[in-house]
Amino acid sequence: TMTNNQDMNRRAFLRVGGLSLAAGGAALACAPAAAPAPPAAPTTGAAPKADWERQWDDVLAGAKKEGKLVLITNSGAEYRKLAESFMAKFPGITVEQVGLVASQFVPRVLQERKAGAYNFDVLMSSTTTPLINLRPEGAIDPVRPLIFRPDVLDDKLWAGGFEAGFLDNDKKWMYACCTTRNRVVWINTDQVQPGEVTKVQDLLNPKWKGKILSGDVRSYGGGAWPATVTRLGLGDDIVKRLWKDQEAVLGRDPRQMTEQMVRAQYAVGYGAVSDNVLPEFIKQGLGKNLKFVPMENVDYVSSAQNNVFQVNRAPNPNAAKLFINWILTKEGQALWAPAAAANSRRTDVPPSTPETMPDPGRKYIVIDTEAMLPEVEKTYAIAKQVLT
């Protein structure tokens, strides 16, 4: 028979048990015969990753395992800063950044490949030289299959849409991330008076004989591009009249030519002043005597040195893929465009050099599409014949 105290204790126990059940059922755990309750499924937490996010994680893991990226860019200290930003973003991946223009890079990579050496991952370059010299040798791979981030593939994030960045006929070999109005003719205001040089015909004045520094018109890119635009506007004979008869001095090193103009060794620069290099001298208080002269039949639009190529047989393929996708994101372009003194095609990245934005309402030749290549090659052939 249960005593009064026992009955009271039993009723108290049940009351406590009822409160526990109402609060979450902890009292059931006290019953020795009850099976352990399975862990409750989480009601909150991270959503499953999208396919591209898993791919990104895999590429990042592979890149960190490789531990290195060999990146070829144009000359300029700002590119080193970009490499440092990439390394800070992705610790564990060392970037070897080499400053070479395409005319310097191409002979080197082809020679090394013949010796069985494959040392480069990504090339940021102009379009013409790699397409003409590297593609036939199998030294570049299509870049399109490597791009997978949705914040890169979105049409509305690019001026003209994403597809407009492929300047080759196959729409796959390289991707142009920037566009710029190329500033071709510069004068030294200590040697050229205001109004003396406003159009190409002014440069034919015997006064400027031997005083014009030009990108080598026998070389694709900085030399043949402006010469092609000039030839298309003024006729084939302009190549002889301007470059041969005026004894223009030809160069291929953007840094050296920019310094020669800064130091007033020449009165006029024709494709000789690099927008990538000039700011370095301006910061030192030099080059303030240089002035850009906009000209019809000279200025053109291009992607300049801002095309991303995948080098064939890259030693660090994951790091290359990581960089290619990252450099096309908003974050990557916000760093790349100022380093390259260019204007990103991304609509969510403001212009880095508004002074090189194409003038609204003016029609420009887009010189570095593969469709323009026959005209560039014609200029190249004429120049080689005339200047030999």
Side-chain angles (χ1 to χ4, degrees):
T1 302
M2 187 178 294
T3 66
N4 288 338
N5 286 340
Q6 289 173 323
D7 184 49
M8 291 175 62
N9 289 339
R10 178 177 178 275
R11 289 198 298 272
F13 173 79
L14 290 174
R15 283 198 301 274
V16 174
L19 289 173
S20 298
L21 285 170
L28 290 177
C30 298
T43 56
T44 59
K49 289 189 175 182
D51 288 345
W52 77 266
E53 291 175 305
R54 289 193 293 271
Q55 186 175 0
W56 179 257
D57 289 344
D58 290 344
V59 169
L60 177 58
K64 288 189 174 183
K65 186 175 181 180
E66 292 163 352
K68 187 176 181 180
L69 172 74
V70 184
L71 173 67
I72 309 299
T73 70
N74 201 352
S75 301
E78 294 300 316
Y79 291 107
R80 185 60 207 165
K81 294 180 182 178
L82 175 113
E84 292 169 355
S85 296
F86 181 82
M87 289 188 286
K89 174 74 176 179
F90 304 106
I93 305 172
T94 300
V95 178
E96 182 183 332
Q97 181 262 330
V98 183
L100 294 172
V101 295
S103 60
Q104 298 167 328
F105 166 76
V106 166
R108 176 172 167 179
V109 71
L110 292 179
Q111 182 178 4
E112 291 180 0
R113 288 175 68 87
K114 289 179 181 178
Y118 304 91
N119 299 317
F120 305 106
D121 296 307
V122 176
L123 168 65
M124 298 294 295
S125 169
S126 55
T127 63
T128 311
T129 302
L131 285 179
I132 291 175
N133 296 286
L134 296 183
R135 186 173 57 178
E137 298 294 328
I140 56 173
D141 289 332
V143 73
R144 179 190 279 273
L146 305 178
I147 304 172
F148 64 88
R149 287 184 61 106
D151 58 343
V152 171
L153 296 169
D154 190 341
D155 270 341
K156 68 177 180 293
L157 295 176
W158 297 96
F162 175 73
E163 289 293 315
F166 293 103
L167 301 182
D168 58 286
N169 292 340
D170 297 329
K171 302 295 183 183
K172 68 178 184 180
W173 289 102
M174 75 284 186
Y175 195 80
C177 58
C178 296
T179 187
T180 187
R181 172 173 57 92
N182 290 74
R183 302 194 290 175
V184 177
V185 178
W186 293 75
I187 59 171
N188 186 305
T189 56
D190 295 334
Q191 302 179 50
V192 182
Q193 298 303 310
E196 271 194 293
V197 173
T198 60
K199 57 186 182 297
V200 176
Q201 290 85 341
D202 293 335
L203 296 176
L204 302 179
N205 187 324
K207 177 179 181 178
W208 308 121
K209 191 171 185 178
K211 297 181 180 180
I212 301 172
L213 177 64
S214 171
D216 194 338
V217 289
R218 300 163 302 182
S219 172
Y220 297 110
W225 282 358
T228 297
V229 177
T230 305
R231 180 182 65 77
L232 290 173
L234 300 177
D236 292 355
D237 67 333
I238 194 65
V239 178
K240 177 180 181 298
R241 295 170 65 199
L242 180 58
W243 280 275
K244 182 177 176 61
D245 296 347
Q246 288 295 81
E247 299 179 0
V249 178
L250 306 179
R252 296 192 180 190
D253 187 322
R255 176 172 295 281
Q256 183 182 52
M257 288 191 296
T258 301
E259 183 170 3
Q260 288 173 313
M261 286 299 301
V262 165
R263 300 195 183 283
Q265 295 180 25
Y266 298 93
V268 179
Y270 205 99
V273 175
S274 168
D275 279 311
N276 304 107
V277 178
L278 182 60
E280 297 177 30
F281 291 100
I282 297 295
K283 289 178 182 177
Q284 300 172 37
L286 303 172
K288 295 180 180 179
N289 55 339
L290 295 185
K291 180 183 178 181
F292 164 63
V293 182
M295 286 190 183
E296 296 283 346
N297 301 317
V298 177
D299 297 337
Y300 58 92
V301 168
S302 77
S303 57
Q305 308 292 325
N306 303 298
N307 294 272
V308 57
F309 288 85
Q310 166 71 72
V311 182
N312 172 254
R313 297 186 67 171
N316 306 292
N318 287 290
K321 191 172 185 179
L322 182 75
F323 179 84
I324 288 169
N325 280 273
W326 175 78
I327 201 64
L328 298 180
T329 64
K330 179 180 179 180
E331 178 185 44
Q333 284 297 287
L335 291 167
W336 173 266
N343 300 304
S344 176
R345 290 182 50 249
R346 282 193 70 109
T347 57
D348 52 0
V349 175
S352 297
T353 56
E355 64 272 17
T356 65
M357 288 289 288
D359 293 334
R362 180 178 166 187
K363 189 175 181 179
Y364 295 86
I365 290 176
V366 182
I367 194 63
D368 56 343
T369 64
E370 189 174 359
M372 280 297 300
L373 194 51
E375 292 294 349
V376 177
E377 290 184 309
K378 182 177 180 180
T379 301
Y380 178 77
I382 293 172
K384 287 192 72 175
Q385 181 180 17
V386 168
L387 299 174
T388 299

